[in-house]
Amino acid sequence: EPEVTQTPSHQVTQMGQEVILRCVPISNHLYFYWYRQILGQKVEFLVSFYNNEISEKSEIFDDQFSVERPDGSNFTLKIRSTKLEDSAMYFCASSDSGSGTQYFGPGTRLLVL
Amino acid sequence: AQSVTQPDIHITVSEGASLELRCNYSYGATPYLFWYVQSPGQGLQLLLKYFSGDTLVQGIKGFEAEFKRSQSSFNLRKPSVHWSDAAEYFCAAPGDSSYKLIFGSGTRLLVRP
């Protein structure tokens, strides 16, 4: 069964450093998403991406965040200058349509020290 | 604005007992509704979804959920819980656009032997 994969599974970084979280969506999916879950809190939408551009973003997704689909398979989330409050589990998801079921990856746990 | 509410933060049931996890939504039109499960340290796995049609939907692992428009609810049920069902369960619905999911705050299920 096709699945969304994410790397790395864990990342520890120093405050102010740049991090790139990587995702490989399901191969025939066209819509891609990032969500985050701060420890003990609910899952929050960050951004959606379709046709090589952002289709929607939340207020969390400020100028420190960017997304990219650098090739035909990867979808990345970059945080330019990490803050302590960026520590969270980051989930990638993909769907075959805008209203389609979103399938989630296993997540990347980011810890900012 | 759309919202998803899971009134129960924790639920404890005995193995073999029945289970019902509550979910209420606030949505103008007929919503799409989802239940996801997150085992410790794992990603979000889709249990089931409601798009339209039959209001009782079957999912994986013996779970089912019933959409009740009159009560704005989409409660998850299982007739006999197994120890492996211990996890966190999230109800979700599309936000203002179809590009994002709004998640409830989750219900943590504990299973007594």
Side-chain angles (χ1 to χ4, degrees), chain A residues 6-18:
Chain A
Q6 290 184 243
T7 54
S9 58
H10 295 79
Q11 175 132 17
V12 181
T13 190
Q14 296 290 324
M15 188 170 56
Q17 295 296 303
E18 174 183 288

Side-chain angles (χ1 to χ4, degrees), chain B residues 41-88:
Chain B
Q42 303 296 310
L44 295 163
Q45 182 181 22
L46 179 70
L47 278 178
L48 48 77
K49 58 190 177 187
Y50 172 77
F51 277 4
S52 65
D54 193 345
T55 56
L56 184 64
V57 293
Q58 302 297 321
I60 62 171
K61 305 185 180 187
F63 285 92
E64 65 178 27
E66 186 171 12
F67 169 63
K68 292 186 177 179
R69 184 191 303 277
S70 62
Q71 298 176 20
S72 297
S73 69
F74 187 57
N75 294 348
L76 182 71
R77 301 195 294 248
K78 186 169 184 177
S80 177
V81 169
H82 187 262
W83 64 267
S84 61
D85 293 324
E88 187 142 24

Side-chain angles (χ1 to χ4, degrees), chain A residues 25-45:
Chain A
I26 294 173
S27 62
N28 63 340
H29 285 184
L30 301 175
Y31 294 78
F32 314 116
Y33 314 83
W34 284 101
Y35 292 79
R36 79 172 186 191
Q37 183 184 30
I38 294 172
L39 190 63
Q41 298 186 23
K42 64 170 69 176
V43 178
E44 303 172 287
F45 169 80

